């Protein structure tokens, strides 16, 4: 299935508003969808017999910085039987108050690999995945302060009496 066919399928199954932008210059080609339609779009791509994206090969979160005011989650999907791939991109606003986390629905009920990927994105970038069954830090200690891949992250000087900077 070609990228244009995947876009048409998503518009037909999840609604015309399911796609807010596309990028055919990226590898794989990327579809930007609103967070509220992520689950219906992901479910469609996973279950539809013409796409069957059965493998979430990567989930990445990034912070576009305070000046942009947005954060993103990017899902790389691959269909093993059809040998085609696509990326879904969801953009959320940065939280207004310190300590608040932007939220995106969890896709871990569709792809089990999301259980680990979403924990890593939560730990390092501070994205909250609503519905994740065990959302906790995976790389840093549970009492670590902040999310180190955020553009405005301030590294703590000491952790349990140990100097962090070296």
């Amino acid at each position: 299935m070609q990228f244009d066919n995947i876009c048409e399928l998503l518009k037909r199954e999840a609604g015309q508003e399911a796609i807010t932008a596309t990028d055919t210059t990226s590898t794989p080609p990327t579809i930007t969808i609103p967070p509220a339609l992520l689950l219906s779009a992901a479910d469609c791509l996973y279950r539809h017999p013409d796409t069957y994206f059965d493998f979430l090969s990567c989930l990445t979160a990034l912070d576009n910085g305070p000046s942009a005011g947005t954060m993103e989650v990017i899902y790389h999907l691959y269909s093993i039987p059809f040998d085609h791939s696509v990326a879904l991109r969801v953009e959320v606003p940065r939280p207004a108050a310190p300590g608040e986390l932007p939220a995106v629905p969890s896709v871990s009920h569709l792809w089990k690999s999301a259980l680990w990927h979403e924990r890593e994105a939560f730990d390092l970038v501070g994205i909250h995945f609503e519905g994740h069954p065990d959302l906790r830090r995976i790389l840093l200690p549970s009492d670590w302060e902040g999310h180190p891949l955020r553009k405005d992250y301030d590294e703590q000087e000491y952790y349990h009496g140990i100097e962090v900077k070296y």
Side-chain angles (χ1 to χ4, degrees), residues 5-28:
N5 302 113
I6 294 170
C7 292
E8 289 304 316
L9 173 71
L10 272 180
K11 287 179 184 176
R12 191 173 57 245
E13 299 292 325
Q16 289 291 321
E17 65 281 357
I19 298 176
T20 59
T22 60
D23 181 2
T24 57
T25 62
S26 64
T27 304

Side-chain angles (χ1 to χ4, degrees), residues 152-166:
D152 57 354
Y153 176 69
D154 289 324
E155 187 176 4
Q156 58 196 45
E157 290 184 32
Y158 290 92
Y159 175 73
H160 293 280
I162 302 169
E163 187 173 3
V164 173
K165 291 185 177 183
Y166 55 92

Side-chain angles (χ1 to χ4, degrees), residues 63-85:
D63 181 1
N64 294 320
S67 61
T70 58
M71 301 174 88
E72 300 176 24
V73 181
I74 301 168
Y75 306 80
H76 286 241
L77 306 178
Y78 181 70
S79 172
I80 294 172
F82 297 122
D83 188 30
H84 52 227
S85 58

Side-chain angles (χ1 to χ4, degrees), residues 52-64:
Y52 192 56
F53 284 101
D54 54 339
F55 182 39
L56 174 67
S57 59
C58 183
L59 184 157
T60 303
L62 57 109
D63 181 1
N64 294 320

Side-chain angles (χ1 to χ4, degrees), residues 113-139:
S113 59
L115 290 167
W116 301 99
H117 290 300
E118 289 176 350
R119 283 181 60 189
E120 184 177 344
F122 163 73
D123 192 5
L124 299 177
V125 183
I127 303 283
H128 179 79
F129 291 91
E130 295 173 331
H132 189 286
D134 186 24
L135 191 62
R136 57 188 163 97
R137 289 192 181 270
I138 190 169
L139 297 172

Side-chain angles (χ1 to χ4, degrees), residues 107-117:
V107 294
S108 61
H109 64 288
L110 296 174
W111 299 285
K112 296 302 178 199
S113 59
L115 290 167
W116 301 99
H117 290 300

